[in-house]
Amino acid sequence: MKLFMASSAHLLLFLNACLLLLPLLPTSGQRSTYIIHMNSSSMPASQPTHHDWYSTILENMSLATPNSTTSGRPQLLHTYHHALTGFAATLTADELRAMEGSSGFIAAYPDLEIKLHTTRTPQFLCLNHDTGLWPSSSYGDGVVIGVIDSGVWSESPSLNDGGMSPAPLWWNGTCELGTRCNWKLIGARSFNVSSSTADGESARDNDGHGTLVASVAAGAPVSGASFFGYANGTAVGMAPRAWISVYEVADGRTLVAFTCNVLAAMDAAIADRVDVISIAMGLTDLVPLYEDPFAIASFSAMKKGIMVVFSAGNDGPSNYTVTNAFPWAITVGGSSVDRRLTGTLTVYGDSFTGVSLYPLSKLLVDLPLVYNATISHCNSSELISQAAAGKIVVCHGLGGIGSMFYQIAAVNASEAAAAVFVTDDALFLEDGEFACPAIALDLDTGEVLLRYLSSLPYPTASMEFQETQVSGFLGPVIAAPAIGTYSSRGPSLISPDVLKPDVVAPGTRILGALANPFAVKSGTSFASAHVAGIAALLQAANYHSWSPAAIRSAMMTTAHQLDNTGDPIKDSATNSEATPLAIGAGHVDPNRALHPGLVYDAGEVDYVSFLCSQGFSQEQIMAIVGVDSYDCSSPSPHLNYPSFIAFFPPQPLWPGPQSFMRTVTNVDTKPAVYRAFVRQPVGFTVSVQPEELVFNATMATNTANFVLTIVQNEEPVTVVSSGSLTWVHEEFTYTVRSPIVVVAERAPAFP
């Protein structure tokens, strides 16, 4: 598992990180950490608490399984009451086998290792002080966002409590020693406990990831914020009046966390009564829903009415890479905003502007510009020094982001004064950092520069840094949003019947709080932080009356699919139109989500019915939904979800028509008529019955049912074909859109 931040400082780590799944059965003398799922109804009456029960089990187990090669006894690390019922402990192979025979035992999950995965976005998302979601929600006042991450830097100006109210009377959270809480930061606890870490560490953020996520979701306004002059402006989170509670689970020194600690944090967040949980991390190696602690814990949160927001992952641009694809949560991909952080190269009056984040204020004037075949790939600091000492060197970056890092390192170790990198690597342009004075030009701009240089015998140039371009403001239009190359794509290997990600939000080059005090980072972590803040605003605006499914539906059905130029949102990896496998329902639109017209609602019963149709055993379903009674007498694959995905394998396996049953709820409560408009996927015919939905004034007729059917007409010409269903209000007050995705492959079967 890893935190989904595509920071360039860790970029090679996240591109190559592999989940270290601890063996199910360690050697007889070796202890490993396991999460033990227990049936609480099996607790003996003689035990006063669950903690006592678990302690007794471990003590008896130690006596029953003596092992001279193992020092010490099983260690009880965490006790879980809300995310699931059970505990985490260190066990040997013999002890684990004995545990499986204990009364009340449901399952054992090996602990999984985790690698650690704004001044413009409020305006880009059209949040303003006069109309829309901000004033309607009182900026998130009365909502608590729980951030499960690497901790918090409580001295950050984004966590100042000016204008905030004290923590509510019902708040159960606490602030541990070592963290300064206030009326903004009302909770801070550390759960960074495992077999390899010491108990009692504070919730202080040594990495910065958690502080940045918290500030993007709900940071207080801070004027004059910037990253060394880049992205200057007023930094403010999506829900600036919401309370924040932070749960530290990741060691900022080693960039490692474990699922047992994350599960303990989720357990505490549920008990503390947060309203929204933000989790910017996920498993790298996929496991079934019934073995995924995040799936189980987020189901428990959903039952309590808590909206859980997950990042989709940074393993794009390939399909089938999305993680956290739980039907009861919201999964968020990352996109760009209409702002560029740049530097400029000027050659005899002609300017070439490229990406830069070089942090120092430096002006280079009339230095020789060097480009030749010997040093064009800039892979030798010695050759660069010989050819370009005290000069600006031009490097042609080919071979991907790994090659770019080597080039930057070579230039930084050389005697060159600065560098210009010409690259076709979209990921570096989205997230590259600069250890030396440099700018990066895309391939088209770079080729213009190289042709120009070939006509000049002894070119000289000047360079400036710390520039910020905003679309249309004394500069060119910057097409946005565009889907980040890093952002993970669907379909989900775990739950392919549900389209994931659900939506996308700003995740590329986002300014947020850090200890110094601001930084610019990229990744789906920050996209999900935006959506967590927007979810808090929607809860506040609707007086906590909407379910998590209704909030997700409102964001999905009002999302937009066009960029600021009026063209379809593009995929940065291909520079072509993005498919719903990358953008889900589209780019989140907070103000439109405030008034969605209709919502696709769902609750615990609906999710259980869906799980019952997925071929899981009774024990597997129990592991997900808990030990409470549930009804599988009417299993249904027709989960009331605001999107549609169907798999049509090629001939001779063409399936017959595929139908989807849905129910929509009129949240406007006024009488209304909606009519269906369908955009057909190429090669398929989509029909909807009925084509008209009528809602009367009474609450008894506040819902309506329909069936959507997909029929294949011809052999698909592409693997992915997409369309949409839009319910349009008779007076065009609302448009309620759902994406339709048809994949010309057999649905994946998880091993």
Side-chain angles (χ1 to χ4, degrees), residues 526-604:
F526 313 118
S528 62
H530 280 91
V531 169
I534 294 168
L537 295 175
L538 290 172
Q539 279 204 350
N542 290 283
Y543 306 101
H544 298 259
S545 64
W546 279 12
S547 69
I551 293 172
R552 178 183 58 208
S553 176
M555 283 193 265
M556 291 178 66
T557 61
T558 59
H560 58 85
Q561 298 76 44
L562 302 179
D563 65 20
N564 56 355
T565 70
D567 291 331
I569 294 174
K570 287 186 171 56
D571 189 323
S572 295
T574 61
N575 201 34
S576 58
E577 182 177 346
T579 75
L581 298 182
I583 66 172
H587 192 275
V588 66
D589 188 332
N591 292 329
R592 288 194 64 215
L594 176 62
H595 300 293
L598 307 177
V599 298
Y600 294 75
D601 208 352
E604 180 182 356

Side-chain angles (χ1 to χ4, degrees), residues 88-296:
T90 56
L91 303 172
T92 65
D94 293 337
E95 291 163 350
L96 181 60
R97 292 189 185 95
M99 178 63 68
E100 292 172 348
S102 300
S103 175
F105 175 85
I106 295 177
Y109 313 121
D111 198 16
L112 305 178
E113 185 175 304
I114 304 168
K115 294 289 184 180
L116 293 190
H117 267 183
T118 122
T119 54
R120 181 60 187 166
T121 50
Q123 296 95 323
F124 183 62
L125 294 171
C126 298
L127 291 170
N128 64 85
H129 299 290
D130 299 320
T131 60
L133 188 53
W134 259 1
S136 295
S137 65
S138 298
Y139 303 90
D141 189 18
V143 179
V144 182
I145 301 177
V147 178
I148 298 177
D149 215 289
S150 63
V152 66
W153 191 261
S154 54
E155 294 84 359
S156 167
S158 292
L159 297 176
N160 78 82
D161 59 357
M164 295 291 297
S165 303
L169 295 177
W170 47 260
W171 175 243
N172 295 328
T174 59
C175 191
E176 291 183 344
L177 183 67
T179 308
R180 299 178 184 177
C181 286
N182 55 23
W183 285 5
K184 177 67 173 180
L185 180 66
I186 62 173
R189 300 173 63 183
S190 174
F191 293 88
N192 191 15
V193 180
S194 70
S195 57
S196 61
T197 58
D199 193 3
E201 293 188 2
S202 76
R204 182 167 291 280
D205 188 4
N206 294 318
D207 172 63
H209 186 272
T211 304
L212 208 154
V213 167
S215 69
V216 170
V222 180
S223 60
S226 73
F227 174 68
F228 296 100
Y230 294 96
N232 184 62
T234 297
V236 61
M238 293 294 97
R241 293 290 299 276
W243 292 299
I244 297 173
S245 182
V246 171
Y247 304 83
E248 188 259 346
V249 297
D251 190 332
R253 295 163 300 182
T254 61
L255 306 182
V256 169
F258 292 89
T259 52
C260 73
N261 301 332
V262 177
L263 193 58
M266 293 186 72
D267 196 72
I270 295 171
D272 290 346
R273 298 179 63 183
V274 303
D275 299 293
V276 178
I277 294 178
S278 169
I279 305 183
M281 59 187 78
L283 301 182
T284 304
D285 282 358
L286 299 179
V287 296
L289 288 175
Y290 52 83
E291 292 181 2
D292 190 329
F294 283 175
I296 297 168

Side-chain angles (χ1 to χ4, degrees), residues 49 99 110 163 210 216 221 272 300 367 424 532 567 595 616 707 711:
T49 67
M99 178 63 68
V216 170
D272 290 346
S300 298
L367 294 182
D424 61 352
D567 291 331
H595 300 293
F616 296 139
V707 177
V711 177

Side-chain angles (χ1 to χ4, degrees), residues 663-666 694-695 699-705:
T663 300
V664 287
T665 301
N666 179 18
V694 179
F695 299 91
M699 293 300 292
T701 56
N702 207 36
T703 62
N705 303 321

Side-chain angles (χ1 to χ4, degrees), residues 312 317-319 322 331-335 482-484 487-491 499-505 524 569-572 576-587 720 741:
S318 298
N319 291 340
V322 67
T331 311
V332 187
S335 58
I483 303 306
S487 187
S488 292
R489 273 69 162 169
L499 177 63
K500 293 284 183 171
D502 294 301
V503 292
V504 295
T524 56
I569 294 174
K570 287 186 171 56
D571 189 323
S572 295
S576 58
E577 182 177 346
T579 75
L581 298 182
I583 66 172
H587 192 275
V720 178
V741 181

Side-chain angles (χ1 to χ4, degrees), residues 299-312:
F299 192 94
S300 298
M302 175 274 301
K303 290 195 294 184
K304 299 289 186 180
I306 300 171
M307 179 86 249
V308 185
V309 183
F310 284 100
S311 47

